[in-house]
Amino acid sequence: MTAPISPAKSMRTPLARVRNLGASHSGTGDFWRQRLTAVAMTLLIVPVIVVVLMLLGRNQAGAAQILGSLPIAIILLLFIIASAWHMKIGMQVVIEDYVHNEKLKLASVMANNFFSIAVALASIYAILKLSSGV
Protein backbone atom coordinates (compact mmCIF):
# COMPACT_ATOMS: atom_id res chain seq x y z
CA MET A 1 0.00 0.00 0.00
CA THR A 2 1.35 3.43 -0.96
CA ALA A 3 1.30 6.48 1.26
CA PRO A 4 -0.99 9.33 0.20
CA ILE A 5 0.73 12.11 -1.65
CA SER A 6 0.89 15.24 0.49
CA PRO A 7 -0.03 18.49 -1.24
CA ALA A 8 2.72 21.00 -1.82
CA LYS A 9 3.09 23.60 0.90
CA SER A 10 1.22 26.74 0.01
CA MET A 11 0.66 30.17 1.49
CA ARG A 12 -2.93 30.16 0.20
CA THR A 13 -5.83 29.71 2.57
CA PRO A 14 -8.07 26.66 2.20
CA LEU A 15 -10.90 28.88 0.91
CA ALA A 16 -8.58 30.43 -1.68
CA ARG A 17 -7.52 26.95 -2.82
CA VAL A 18 -11.17 25.92 -3.20
CA ARG A 19 -12.00 29.06 -5.16
CA ASN A 20 -8.66 28.88 -7.00
CA LEU A 21 -7.96 32.51 -6.17
CA GLY A 22 -4.76 34.31 -5.32
CA ALA A 23 -4.36 36.97 -2.67
CA SER A 24 -5.94 39.72 -4.75
CA HIS A 25 -8.57 37.45 -6.30
CA SER A 26 -7.85 38.46 -9.90
CA GLY A 27 -4.32 39.84 -10.01
CA THR A 28 -2.85 37.14 -12.22
CA GLY A 29 -5.53 37.61 -14.86
CA ASP A 30 -4.99 41.38 -14.89
CA PHE A 31 -1.23 40.85 -15.05
CA TRP A 32 -1.48 38.65 -18.15
CA ARG A 33 -4.10 40.84 -19.83
CA GLN A 34 -1.87 43.86 -19.36
CA ARG A 35 1.09 42.00 -20.85
CA LEU A 36 -1.08 40.84 -23.77
CA THR A 37 -2.23 44.39 -24.52
CA ALA A 38 1.37 45.62 -24.24
CA VAL A 39 2.51 43.06 -26.82
CA ALA A 40 -0.41 44.01 -29.09
CA MET A 41 0.47 47.70 -28.86
CA THR A 42 4.14 46.93 -29.50
CA LEU A 43 3.25 45.05 -32.68
CA LEU A 44 0.81 47.74 -33.84
CA ILE A 45 2.89 50.84 -33.05
CA VAL A 46 4.99 50.71 -36.25
CA PRO A 47 1.97 50.63 -38.60
CA VAL A 48 0.27 53.35 -36.52
CA ILE A 49 3.35 55.59 -36.78
CA VAL A 50 3.44 55.00 -40.54
CA VAL A 51 -0.24 55.98 -40.81
CA VAL A 52 0.33 59.13 -38.72
CA LEU A 53 3.29 60.09 -40.91
CA MET A 54 1.12 59.56 -44.00
CA LEU A 55 -1.48 61.93 -42.51
CA LEU A 56 0.97 64.79 -41.89
CA GLY A 57 0.25 67.84 -44.03
CA ARG A 58 -3.03 66.51 -45.43
CA ASN A 59 -6.41 68.14 -45.22
CA GLN A 60 -9.57 66.38 -44.04
CA ALA A 61 -10.31 64.96 -47.49
CA GLY A 62 -6.82 63.53 -47.77
CA ALA A 63 -7.03 62.08 -44.25
CA ALA A 64 -10.43 60.55 -45.01
CA GLN A 65 -8.98 59.01 -48.17
CA ILE A 66 -6.12 57.39 -46.24
CA LEU A 67 -8.33 56.32 -43.33
CA GLY A 68 -10.95 55.04 -45.78
CA SER A 69 -8.71 52.06 -46.41
CA LEU A 70 -10.05 49.03 -44.54
CA PRO A 71 -6.65 47.67 -43.38
CA ILE A 72 -5.64 51.07 -42.00
CA ALA A 73 -8.95 51.51 -40.15
CA ILE A 74 -8.63 48.01 -38.67
CA ILE A 75 -5.06 48.65 -37.51
CA LEU A 76 -6.10 51.91 -35.84
CA LEU A 77 -9.15 50.31 -34.22
CA LEU A 78 -7.09 47.44 -32.83
CA PHE A 79 -4.52 49.90 -31.47
CA ILE A 80 -7.23 52.01 -29.79
CA ILE A 81 -8.87 48.97 -28.20
CA ALA A 82 -5.56 47.59 -26.92
CA SER A 83 -4.48 51.02 -25.61
CA ALA A 84 -7.75 51.73 -23.80
CA TRP A 85 -7.80 48.27 -22.23
CA HIS A 86 -4.14 48.59 -21.18
CA MET A 87 -4.83 52.03 -19.69
CA LYS A 88 -7.85 50.74 -17.76
CA ILE A 89 -5.95 47.81 -16.25
CA GLY A 90 -2.89 49.91 -15.39
CA MET A 91 -4.86 52.63 -13.64
CA GLN A 92 -6.99 50.07 -11.81
CA VAL A 93 -3.85 48.41 -10.42
CA VAL A 94 -2.53 51.81 -9.25
CA ILE A 95 -5.88 52.67 -7.65
CA GLU A 96 -6.19 49.30 -5.90
CA ASP A 97 -2.61 49.52 -4.59
CA TYR A 98 -2.52 53.13 -3.39
CA VAL A 99 -6.08 54.19 -2.51
CA HIS A 100 -6.86 52.81 0.94
CA ASN A 101 -10.31 54.28 1.61
CA GLU A 102 -12.75 51.64 0.32
CA LYS A 103 -15.45 54.10 -0.80
CA LEU A 104 -12.93 56.29 -2.59
CA LYS A 105 -11.34 53.19 -4.14
CA LEU A 106 -14.73 52.00 -5.46
CA ALA A 107 -15.55 55.45 -6.85
CA SER A 108 -12.11 55.73 -8.44
CA VAL A 109 -12.32 52.30 -10.08
CA MET A 110 -15.80 53.14 -11.42
CA ALA A 111 -14.58 56.50 -12.76
CA ASN A 112 -11.58 54.77 -14.34
CA ASN A 113 -13.87 52.25 -16.07
CA PHE A 114 -16.21 54.95 -17.38
CA PHE A 115 -13.31 57.15 -18.54
CA SER A 116 -11.57 54.28 -20.35
CA ILE A 117 -14.78 53.27 -22.10
CA ALA A 118 -15.55 56.90 -23.05
CA VAL A 119 -12.07 57.41 -24.53
CA ALA A 120 -12.29 54.13 -26.46
CA LEU A 121 -15.78 54.84 -27.81
CA ALA A 122 -14.94 58.42 -28.83
CA SER A 123 -11.79 57.23 -30.62
CA ILE A 124 -13.58 54.34 -32.33
CA TYR A 125 -16.39 56.67 -33.42
CA ALA A 126 -13.89 59.15 -34.89
CA ILE A 127 -12.03 56.45 -36.80
CA LEU A 128 -15.23 54.90 -38.14
CA LYS A 129 -16.63 58.29 -39.13
CA LEU A 130 -13.43 59.30 -40.94
CA SER A 131 -13.04 55.91 -42.59
CA SER A 132 -16.63 55.88 -43.85
CA GLY A 133 -16.18 59.28 -45.50
CA VAL A 134 -19.23 60.80 -43.78
Side-chain angles (χ1 to χ4, degrees), residues 60 63-65 67-68 125-134:
Q60 185 176 359
Q65 181 182 9
L67 295 175
Y125 174 76
I127 291 169
L128 290 177
K129 186 166 180 166
L130 278 172
S131 67
S132 68
V134 176

Side-chain angles (χ1 to χ4, degrees), residues 2-3 10-11 16 20 35 39 52 56 62-64 71-72 83 86 98 100 104 118 127 130:
T2 61
S10 173
M11 297 288 290
N20 200 22
R35 295 323 177 261
V39 169
V52 170
L56 288 177
I72 289 177
S83 299
H86 188 82
Y98 295 108
H100 300 295
L104 182 59
I127 291 169
L130 278 172

Side-chain angles (χ1 to χ4, degrees), residues 66-108:
I66 290 172
L67 295 175
S69 169
L70 184 62
I72 289 177
I74 290 172
I75 287 170
L76 292 176
L77 288 172
L78 290 173
F79 185 77
I80 291 298
I81 291 167
S83 299
W85 198 3
H86 188 82
M87 174 182 67
K88 178 214 165 284
I89 294 169
M91 282 307 301
Q92 184 170 337
V93 168
V94 170
I95 290 166
E96 289 172 349
D97 285 348
Y98 295 108
V99 178
H100 300 295
N101 182 321
E102 289 302 318
K103 289 181 183 178
L104 182 59
K105 184 184 297 189
L106 178 63
S108 299

Side-chain angles (χ1 to χ4, degrees), residues 30-52:
D30 286 342
F31 174 85
W32 285 111
R33 278 189 286 276
Q34 192 166 32
R35 295 323 177 261
L36 178 70
T37 56
V39 169
M41 289 188 313
T42 302
L43 295 175
L44 291 168
I45 192 67
V46 172
V48 168
I49 290 172
V50 169
V51 169
V52 170

